[in-house]
PDB file of all heavy atoms in Angstrom:
ATOM      1  N   LEU A 109      42.953  43.262 -38.845  1.00 97.00           N
ATOM      2  CA  LEU A 109      42.791  41.908 -39.375  1.00 97.00           C
ATOM      3  C   LEU A 109      41.908  41.927 -40.622  1.00 97.00           C
ATOM      4  O   LEU A 109      42.193  41.264 -41.610  1.00 97.00           O
ATOM      5  CB  LEU A 109      42.174  41.017 -38.289  1.00 97.00           C
ATOM      6  CG  LEU A 109      41.979  39.545 -38.628  1.00 97.00           C
ATOM      7  CD1 LEU A 109      43.319  38.847 -38.765  1.00 97.00           C
ATOM      8  CD2 LEU A 109      41.145  38.854 -37.560  1.00 97.00           C
ATOM      9  N   MET A 113      43.124  40.654 -44.229  1.00 96.00           N
ATOM     10  CA  MET A 113      42.442  39.498 -44.813  1.00 96.00           C
ATOM     11  C   MET A 113      41.636  39.885 -46.049  1.00 96.00           C
ATOM     12  O   MET A 113      40.985  39.034 -46.661  1.00 96.00           O
ATOM     13  CB  MET A 113      41.534  38.819 -43.781  1.00 96.00           C
ATOM     14  CG  MET A 113      42.264  38.186 -42.602  1.00 96.00           C
ATOM     15  SD  MET A 113      43.585  37.018 -43.040  1.00 96.00           S
ATOM     16  CE  MET A 113      42.655  35.683 -43.774  1.00 96.00           C
ATOM     17  N   VAL A 170      36.699  36.065 -35.033  1.00 98.00           N
ATOM     18  CA  VAL A 170      38.065  36.113 -35.562  1.00 98.00           C
ATOM     19  C   VAL A 170      38.343  34.835 -36.358  1.00 98.00           C
ATOM     20  O   VAL A 170      38.906  34.880 -37.453  1.00 98.00           O
ATOM     21  CB  VAL A 170      39.094  36.268 -34.411  1.00 98.00           C
ATOM     22  CG1 VAL A 170      40.509  36.014 -34.906  1.00 98.00           C
ATOM     23  CG2 VAL A 170      38.994  37.653 -33.799  1.00 98.00           C
ATOM     24  N   ILE A 174      39.324  34.733 -40.330  1.00 98.00           N
ATOM     25  CA  ILE A 174      40.585  34.152 -40.808  1.00 98.00           C
ATOM     26  C   ILE A 174      40.326  32.914 -41.667  1.00 98.00           C
ATOM     27  O   ILE A 174      40.747  32.853 -42.826  1.00 98.00           O
ATOM     28  CB  ILE A 174      41.517  33.810 -39.628  1.00 98.00           C
ATOM     29  CG1 ILE A 174      41.976  35.107 -38.947  1.00 98.00           C
ATOM     30  CG2 ILE A 174      42.729  33.002 -40.121  1.00 98.00           C
ATOM     31  CD1 ILE A 174      42.914  34.923 -37.787  1.00 98.00           C
ATOM     32  N   PHE A 175      39.611  31.930 -41.119  1.00 98.00           N
ATOM     33  CA  PHE A 175      39.464  30.669 -41.854  1.00 98.00           C
ATOM     34  C   PHE A 175      38.512  30.805 -43.042  1.00 98.00           C
ATOM     35  O   PHE A 175      38.639  30.099 -44.026  1.00 98.00           O
ATOM     36  CB  PHE A 175      39.054  29.545 -40.899  1.00 98.00           C
ATOM     37  CG  PHE A 175      40.134  29.251 -39.889  1.00 98.00           C
ATOM     38  CD1 PHE A 175      39.995  29.615 -38.546  1.00 98.00           C
ATOM     39  CD2 PHE A 175      41.325  28.650 -40.292  1.00 98.00           C
ATOM     40  CE1 PHE A 175      41.007  29.377 -37.630  1.00 98.00           C
ATOM     41  CE2 PHE A 175      42.344  28.405 -39.372  1.00 98.00           C
ATOM     42  CZ  PHE A 175      42.181  28.774 -38.047  1.00 98.00           C
ATOM     43  N   LEU A 178      40.750  32.275 -45.886  1.00 96.00           N
ATOM     44  CA  LEU A 178      42.041  31.624 -46.114  1.00 96.00           C
ATOM     45  C   LEU A 178      42.254  31.297 -47.592  1.00 96.00           C
ATOM     46  O   LEU A 178      43.343  31.503 -48.143  1.00 96.00           O
ATOM     47  CB  LEU A 178      42.096  30.334 -45.287  1.00 96.00           C
ATOM     48  CG  LEU A 178      43.422  29.959 -44.635  1.00 96.00           C
ATOM     49  CD1 LEU A 178      43.999  31.127 -43.859  1.00 96.00           C
ATOM     50  CD2 LEU A 178      43.220  28.779 -43.697  1.00 96.00           C
ATOM     51  N   LEU A 181      43.843  33.824 -49.842  1.00 95.00           N
ATOM     52  CA  LEU A 181      45.257  34.197 -49.644  1.00 95.00           C
ATOM     53  C   LEU A 181      46.137  33.314 -50.512  1.00 95.00           C
ATOM     54  O   LEU A 181      45.778  32.170 -50.793  1.00 95.00           O
ATOM     55  CB  LEU A 181      45.658  33.985 -48.179  1.00 95.00           C
ATOM     56  CG  LEU A 181      45.174  34.976 -47.132  1.00 95.00           C
ATOM     57  CD1 LEU A 181      45.687  34.535 -45.769  1.00 95.00           C
ATOM     58  CD2 LEU A 181      45.638  36.382 -47.438  1.00 95.00           C
ATOM     59  N   GLU A 183      48.903  30.655 -51.274  1.00 94.00           N
ATOM     60  CA  GLU A 183      49.310  29.467 -50.512  1.00 94.00           C
ATOM     61  C   GLU A 183      50.378  29.794 -49.460  1.00 94.00           C
ATOM     62  O   GLU A 183      50.309  29.368 -48.318  1.00 94.00           O
ATOM     63  CB  GLU A 183      49.854  28.429 -51.504  1.00 94.00           C
ATOM     64  CG  GLU A 183      50.028  27.028 -50.966  1.00 94.00           C
ATOM     65  CD  GLU A 183      48.694  26.313 -50.785  1.00 94.00           C
ATOM     66  OE1 GLU A 183      47.989  26.104 -51.799  1.00 94.00           O
ATOM     67  OE2 GLU A 183      48.370  25.988 -49.632  1.00 94.00           O
ATOM     68  N   SER A 184      51.360  30.598 -49.888  1.00 92.00           N
ATOM     69  CA  SER A 184      52.518  30.869 -49.040  1.00 92.00           C
ATOM     70  C   SER A 184      52.173  31.703 -47.803  1.00 92.00           C
ATOM     71  O   SER A 184      52.995  31.839 -46.904  1.00 92.00           O
ATOM     72  CB  SER A 184      53.585  31.593 -49.853  1.00 92.00           C
ATOM     73  OG  SER A 184      53.061  32.812 -50.351  1.00 92.00           O
ATOM     74  N   ALA A 185      50.962  32.285 -47.753  1.00 95.00           N
ATOM     75  CA  ALA A 185      50.616  33.134 -46.612  1.00 95.00           C
ATOM     76  C   ALA A 185      49.638  32.450 -45.665  1.00 95.00           C
ATOM     77  O   ALA A 185      49.348  32.959 -44.579  1.00 95.00           O
ATOM     78  CB  ALA A 185      50.027  34.459 -47.098  1.00 95.00           C
ATOM     79  N   ARG A 186      49.136  31.281 -46.058  1.00 97.00           N
ATOM     80  CA  ARG A 186      48.073  30.645 -45.259  1.00 97.00           C
ATOM     81  C   ARG A 186      48.554  30.160 -43.905  1.00 97.00           C
ATOM     82  O   ARG A 186      47.849  30.280 -42.912  1.00 97.00           O
ATOM     83  CB  ARG A 186      47.452  29.490 -46.052  1.00 97.00           C
ATOM     84  CG  ARG A 186      46.625  30.011 -47.204  1.00 97.00           C
ATOM     85  CD  ARG A 186      45.969  28.911 -47.999  1.00 97.00           C
ATOM     86  NE  ARG A 186      45.534  29.476 -49.277  1.00 97.00           N
ATOM     87  CZ  ARG A 186      45.175  28.769 -50.329  1.00 97.00           C
ATOM     88  NH1 ARG A 186      45.188  27.450 -50.271  1.00 97.00           N
ATOM     89  NH2 ARG A 186      44.795  29.363 -51.439  1.00 97.00           N
ATOM     90  N   GLY A 187      49.775  29.627 -43.877  1.00 97.00           N
ATOM     91  CA  GLY A 187      50.315  29.156 -42.611  1.00 97.00           C
ATOM     92  C   GLY A 187      50.423  30.286 -41.599  1.00 97.00           C
ATOM     93  O   GLY A 187      50.054  30.127 -40.434  1.00 97.00           O
ATOM     94  N   MET A 188      50.873  31.430 -42.071  1.00 97.00           N
ATOM     95  CA  MET A 188      50.998  32.582 -41.172  1.00 97.00           C
ATOM     96  C   MET A 188      49.632  33.056 -40.690  1.00 97.00           C
ATOM     97  O   MET A 188      49.479  33.474 -39.544  1.00 97.00           O
ATOM     98  CB  MET A 188      51.721  33.730 -41.888  1.00 97.00           C
ATOM     99  CG  MET A 188      53.229  33.554 -41.919  1.00 97.00           C
ATOM    100  SD  MET A 188      54.060  35.089 -42.329  1.00 97.00           S
ATOM    101  CE  MET A 188      53.696  35.206 -44.068  1.00 97.00           C
ATOM    102  N   ALA A 189      48.617  32.994 -41.570  1.00 98.00           N
ATOM    103  CA  ALA A 189      47.280  33.429 -41.172  1.00 98.00           C
ATOM    104  C   ALA A 189      46.722  32.508 -40.084  1.00 98.00           C
ATOM    105  O   ALA A 189      46.125  32.969 -39.110  1.00 98.00           O
ATOM    106  CB  ALA A 189      46.356  33.474 -42.376  1.00 98.00           C
ATOM    107  N   ARG A 190      46.961  31.197 -40.259  1.00 98.00           N
ATOM    108  CA  ARG A 190      46.557  30.267 -39.190  1.00 98.00           C
ATOM    109  C   ARG A 190      47.304  30.602 -37.905  1.00 98.00           C
ATOM    110  O   ARG A 190      46.750  30.560 -36.818  1.00 98.00           O
ATOM    111  CB  ARG A 190      46.862  28.820 -39.589  1.00 98.00           C
ATOM    112  CG  ARG A 190      45.925  28.281 -40.634  1.00 98.00           C
ATOM    113  CD  ARG A 190      46.088  26.757 -40.765  1.00 98.00           C
ATOM    114  NE  ARG A 190      45.515  26.327 -42.027  1.00 98.00           N
ATOM    115  CZ  ARG A 190      46.205  26.167 -43.164  1.00 98.00           C
ATOM    116  NH1 ARG A 190      47.510  26.348 -43.178  1.00 98.00           N
ATOM    117  NH2 ARG A 190      45.600  25.818 -44.274  1.00 98.00           N
ATOM    118  N   GLY A 191      48.572  30.934 -38.069  1.00 98.00           N
ATOM    119  CA  GLY A 191      49.385  31.304 -36.911  1.00 98.00           C
ATOM    120  C   GLY A 191      48.801  32.512 -36.188  1.00 98.00           C
ATOM    121  O   GLY A 191      48.812  32.561 -34.959  1.00 98.00           O
ATOM    122  N   VAL A 192      48.279  33.468 -36.950  1.00 98.00           N
ATOM    123  CA  VAL A 192      47.678  34.657 -36.330  1.00 98.00           C
ATOM    124  C   VAL A 192      46.504  34.252 -35.447  1.00 98.00           C
ATOM    125  O   VAL A 192      46.339  34.760 -34.339  1.00 98.00           O
ATOM    126  CB  VAL A 192      47.221  35.676 -37.401  1.00 98.00           C
ATOM    127  CG1 VAL A 192      46.324  36.745 -36.791  1.00 98.00           C
ATOM    128  CG2 VAL A 192      48.421  36.324 -38.068  1.00 98.00           C
ATOM    129  N   PHE A 193      45.705  33.294 -35.939  1.00 98.00           N
ATOM    130  CA  PHE A 193      44.566  32.862 -35.123  1.00 98.00           C
ATOM    131  C   PHE A 193      45.035  32.299 -33.781  1.00 98.00           C
ATOM    132  O   PHE A 193      44.537  32.679 -32.726  1.00 98.00           O
ATOM    133  CB  PHE A 193      43.715  31.820 -35.853  1.00 98.00           C
ATOM    134  CG  PHE A 193      42.603  31.288 -35.001  1.00 98.00           C
ATOM    135  CD1 PHE A 193      41.499  32.079 -34.706  1.00 98.00           C
ATOM    136  CD2 PHE A 193      42.682  30.026 -34.438  1.00 98.00           C
ATOM    137  CE1 PHE A 193      40.490  31.608 -33.881  1.00 98.00           C
ATOM    138  CE2 PHE A 193      41.665  29.547 -33.606  1.00 98.00           C
ATOM    139  CZ  PHE A 193      40.566  30.337 -33.329  1.00 98.00           C
ATOM    140  N   TRP A 194      46.026  31.415 -33.833  1.00 98.00           N
ATOM    141  CA  TRP A 194      46.486  30.800 -32.581  1.00 98.00           C
ATOM    142  C   TRP A 194      47.200  31.795 -31.684  1.00 98.00           C
ATOM    143  O   TRP A 194      47.125  31.723 -30.456  1.00 98.00           O
ATOM    144  CB  TRP A 194      47.325  29.555 -32.872  1.00 98.00           C
ATOM    145  CG  TRP A 194      46.443  28.485 -33.429  1.00 98.00           C
ATOM    146  CD1 TRP A 194      46.410  28.009 -34.705  1.00 98.00           C
ATOM    147  CD2 TRP A 194      45.378  27.819 -32.731  1.00 98.00           C
ATOM    148  NE1 TRP A 194      45.397  27.087 -34.839  1.00 98.00           N
ATOM    149  CE2 TRP A 194      44.751  26.945 -33.647  1.00 98.00           C
ATOM    150  CE3 TRP A 194      44.884  27.874 -31.417  1.00 98.00           C
ATOM    151  CZ2 TRP A 194      43.662  26.141 -33.296  1.00 98.00           C
ATOM    152  CZ3 TRP A 194      43.805  27.064 -31.070  1.00 98.00           C
ATOM    153  CH2 TRP A 194      43.208  26.214 -31.998  1.00 98.00           C
ATOM    154  N   LEU A 195      47.865  32.755 -32.313  1.00 98.00           N
ATOM    155  CA  LEU A 195      48.488  33.817 -31.524  1.00 98.00           C
ATOM    156  C   LEU A 195      47.420  34.617 -30.774  1.00 98.00           C
ATOM    157  O   LEU A 195      47.588  34.943 -29.587  1.00 98.00           O
ATOM    158  CB  LEU A 195      49.289  34.748 -32.445  1.00 98.00           C
ATOM    159  CG  LEU A 195      49.954  35.937 -31.758  1.00 98.00           C
ATOM    160  CD1 LEU A 195      51.124  35.475 -30.909  1.00 98.00           C
ATOM    161  CD2 LEU A 195      50.428  36.969 -32.767  1.00 98.00           C
ATOM    162  N   VAL A 196      46.326  34.909 -31.457  1.00 98.00           N
ATOM    163  CA  VAL A 196      45.233  35.647 -30.804  1.00 98.00           C
ATOM    164  C   VAL A 196      44.673  34.821 -29.643  1.00 98.00           C
ATOM    165  O   VAL A 196      44.514  35.323 -28.532  1.00 98.00           O
ATOM    166  CB  VAL A 196      44.116  36.014 -31.809  1.00 98.00           C
ATOM    167  CG1 VAL A 196      42.880  36.525 -31.080  1.00 98.00           C
ATOM    168  CG2 VAL A 196      44.622  37.070 -32.790  1.00 98.00           C
ATOM    169  N   VAL A 197      44.413  33.533 -29.885  1.00 98.00           N
ATOM    170  CA  VAL A 197      43.848  32.694 -28.824  1.00 98.00           C
ATOM    171  C   VAL A 197      44.755  32.711 -27.589  1.00 98.00           C
ATOM    172  O   VAL A 197      44.323  33.008 -26.474  1.00 98.00           O
ATOM    173  CB  VAL A 197      43.653  31.237 -29.309  1.00 98.00           C
ATOM    174  CG1 VAL A 197      43.293  30.325 -28.146  1.00 98.00           C
ATOM    175  CG2 VAL A 197      42.584  31.183 -30.392  1.00 98.00           C
ATOM    176  N   VAL A 198      46.045  32.424 -27.798  1.00 98.00           N
ATOM    177  CA  VAL A 198      46.953  32.280 -26.661  1.00 98.00           C
ATOM    178  C   VAL A 198      47.209  33.633 -25.985  1.00 98.00           C
ATOM    179  O   VAL A 198      47.110  33.763 -24.763  1.00 98.00           O
ATOM    180  CB  VAL A 198      48.289  31.632 -27.100  1.00 98.00           C
ATOM    181  CG1 VAL A 198      49.297  31.638 -25.963  1.00 98.00           C
ATOM    182  CG2 VAL A 198      48.040  30.204 -27.576  1.00 98.00           C
ATOM    183  N   SER A 199      47.523  34.659 -26.772  1.00 98.00           N
ATOM    184  CA  SER A 199      47.899  35.946 -26.153  1.00 98.00           C
ATOM    185  C   SER A 199      46.692  36.615 -25.487  1.00 98.00           C
ATOM    186  O   SER A 199      46.836  37.214 -24.430  1.00 98.00           O
ATOM    187  CB  SER A 199      48.542  36.875 -27.184  1.00 98.00           C
ATOM    188  OG  SER A 199      47.628  37.237 -28.192  1.00 98.00           O
ATOM    189  N   TRP A 200      45.516  36.469 -26.073  1.00 98.00           N
ATOM    190  CA  TRP A 200      44.336  37.091 -25.454  1.00 98.00           C
ATOM    191  C   TRP A 200      43.916  36.365 -24.181  1.00 98.00           C
ATOM    192  O   TRP A 200      43.381  36.962 -23.259  1.00 98.00           O
ATOM    193  CB  TRP A 200      43.172  37.167 -26.443  1.00 98.00           C
ATOM    194  CG  TRP A 200      43.358  38.214 -27.510  1.00 98.00           C
ATOM    195  CD1 TRP A 200      44.520  38.541 -28.152  1.00 98.00           C
ATOM    196  CD2 TRP A 200      42.355  39.087 -28.048  1.00 98.00           C
ATOM    197  NE1 TRP A 200      44.292  39.548 -29.053  1.00 98.00           N
ATOM    198  CE2 TRP A 200      42.972  39.899 -29.023  1.00 98.00           C
ATOM    199  CE3 TRP A 200      40.979  39.234 -27.812  1.00 98.00           C
ATOM    200  CZ2 TRP A 200      42.277  40.871 -29.740  1.00 98.00           C
ATOM    201  CZ3 TRP A 200      40.282  40.188 -28.536  1.00 98.00           C
ATOM    202  CH2 TRP A 200      40.928  41.004 -29.492  1.00 98.00           C
ATOM    203  N   THR A 232      52.888  40.318 -27.226  1.00 98.00           N
ATOM    204  CA  THR A 232      52.462  39.353 -28.238  1.00 98.00           C
ATOM    205  C   THR A 232      51.194  39.800 -28.965  1.00 98.00           C
ATOM    206  O   THR A 232      51.134  39.732 -30.182  1.00 98.00           O
ATOM    207  CB  THR A 232      52.246  37.953 -27.620  1.00 98.00           C
ATOM    208  OG1 THR A 232      51.440  38.092 -26.447  1.00 98.00           O
ATOM    209  CG2 THR A 232      53.553  37.300 -27.256  1.00 98.00           C
ATOM    210  N   SER A 233      50.202  40.308 -28.229  1.00 98.00           N
ATOM    211  CA  SER A 233      48.921  40.617 -28.883  1.00 98.00           C
ATOM    212  C   SER A 233      48.971  41.911 -29.688  1.00 98.00           C
ATOM    213  O   SER A 233      48.155  42.117 -30.583  1.00 98.00           O
ATOM    214  CB  SER A 233      47.797  40.699 -27.846  1.00 98.00           C
ATOM    215  OG  SER A 233      47.890  41.898 -27.109  1.00 98.00           O
ATOM    216  N   VAL A 236      53.889  41.453 -31.801  1.00 98.00           N
ATOM    217  CA  VAL A 236      54.120  40.254 -32.615  1.00 98.00           C
ATOM    218  C   VAL A 236      52.968  40.072 -33.609  1.00 98.00           C
ATOM    219  O   VAL A 236      53.181  39.763 -34.788  1.00 98.00           O
ATOM    220  CB  VAL A 236      54.277  38.998 -31.715  1.00 98.00           C
ATOM    221  CG1 VAL A 236      54.433  37.746 -32.558  1.00 98.00           C
ATOM    222  CG2 VAL A 236      55.467  39.168 -30.780  1.00 98.00           C
ATOM    223  N   TYR A 237      51.756  40.300 -33.142  1.00 98.00           N
ATOM    224  CA  TYR A 237      50.564  40.226 -34.005  1.00 98.00           C
ATOM    225  C   TYR A 237      50.680  41.200 -35.182  1.00 98.00           C
ATOM    226  O   TYR A 237      50.452  40.831 -36.332  1.00 98.00           O
ATOM    227  CB  TYR A 237      49.361  40.551 -33.131  1.00 98.00           C
ATOM    228  CG  TYR A 237      48.026  40.743 -33.816  1.00 98.00           C
ATOM    229  CD1 TYR A 237      47.205  39.655 -34.097  1.00 98.00           C
ATOM    230  CD2 TYR A 237      47.564  42.022 -34.127  1.00 98.00           C
ATOM    231  CE1 TYR A 237      45.961  39.842 -34.684  1.00 98.00           C
ATOM    232  CE2 TYR A 237      46.321  42.215 -34.713  1.00 98.00           C
ATOM    233  CZ  TYR A 237      45.524  41.115 -34.986  1.00 98.00           C
ATOM    234  OH  TYR A 237      44.294  41.312 -35.559  1.00 98.00           O
ATOM    235  N   GLY A 238      51.081  42.425 -34.901  1.00 98.00           N
ATOM    236  CA  GLY A 238      51.213  43.431 -35.963  1.00 98.00           C
ATOM    237  C   GLY A 238      52.305  43.068 -36.955  1.00 98.00           C
ATOM    238  O   GLY A 238      52.153  43.249 -38.167  1.00 98.00           O
ATOM    239  N   VAL A 239      53.413  42.524 -36.444  1.00 97.00           N
ATOM    240  CA  VAL A 239      54.512  42.113 -37.330  1.00 97.00           C
ATOM    241  C   VAL A 239      54.041  40.987 -38.250  1.00 97.00           C
ATOM    242  O   VAL A 239      54.265  41.007 -39.462  1.00 97.00           O
ATOM    243  CB  VAL A 239      55.746  41.671 -36.506  1.00 97.00           C
ATOM    244  CG1 VAL A 239      56.792  41.025 -37.399  1.00 97.00           C
ATOM    245  CG2 VAL A 239      56.349  42.870 -35.768  1.00 97.00           C
ATOM    246  N   LEU A 240      53.339  40.005 -37.669  1.00 97.00           N
ATOM    247  CA  LEU A 240      52.837  38.876 -38.470  1.00 97.00           C
ATOM    248  C   LEU A 240      51.866  39.343 -39.551  1.00 97.00           C
ATOM    249  O   LEU A 240      51.954  38.934 -40.707  1.00 97.00           O
ATOM    250  CB  LEU A 240      52.135  37.871 -37.557  1.00 97.00           C
ATOM    251  CG  LEU A 240      52.858  36.579 -37.227  1.00 97.00           C
ATOM    252  CD1 LEU A 240      51.971  35.684 -36.366  1.00 97.00           C
ATOM    253  CD2 LEU A 240      53.263  35.839 -38.496  1.00 97.00           C
ATOM    254  N   LEU A 241      50.934  40.224 -39.162  1.00 97.00           N
ATOM    255  CA  LEU A 241      49.984  40.729 -40.160  1.00 97.00           C
ATOM    256  C   LEU A 241      50.721  41.482 -41.264  1.00 97.00           C
ATOM    257  O   LEU A 241      50.371  41.386 -42.433  1.00 97.00           O
ATOM    258  CB  LEU A 241      48.945  41.651 -39.502  1.00 97.00           C
ATOM    259  CG  LEU A 241      47.826  40.968 -38.711  1.00 97.00           C
ATOM    260  CD1 LEU A 241      46.819  42.000 -38.225  1.00 97.00           C
ATOM    261  CD2 LEU A 241      47.114  39.913 -39.548  1.00 97.00           C
ATOM    262  N   ILE A 244      52.185  38.981 -43.660  1.00 97.00           N
ATOM    263  CA  ILE A 244      51.140  38.431 -44.536  1.00 97.00           C
ATOM    264  C   ILE A 244      50.821  39.455 -45.632  1.00 97.00           C
ATOM    265  O   ILE A 244      50.763  39.125 -46.820  1.00 97.00           O
ATOM    266  CB  ILE A 244      49.863  38.103 -43.732  1.00 97.00           C
ATOM    267  CG1 ILE A 244      50.136  36.942 -42.776  1.00 97.00           C
ATOM    268  CG2 ILE A 244      48.713  37.765 -44.674  1.00 97.00           C
ATOM    269  CD1 ILE A 244      48.993  36.648 -41.823  1.00 97.00           C
TER     270      ILE A 244
END
Side-chain angles (χ1 to χ4, degrees):
L109 183 68
M113 295 307 293
V170 168
I174 293 181
F175 295 108
L178 218 50
L181 285 179
E183 194 74 62
S184 60
R186 289 181 196 165
M188 280 196 286
R190 287 192 198 94
V192 167
F193 176 72
W194 291 109
L195 178 71
V196 169
V197 170
V198 173
S199 65
W200 287 39
T232 49
S233 75
V236 177
Y237 171 86
V239 170
L240 255 183
L241 283 185
I244 293 173

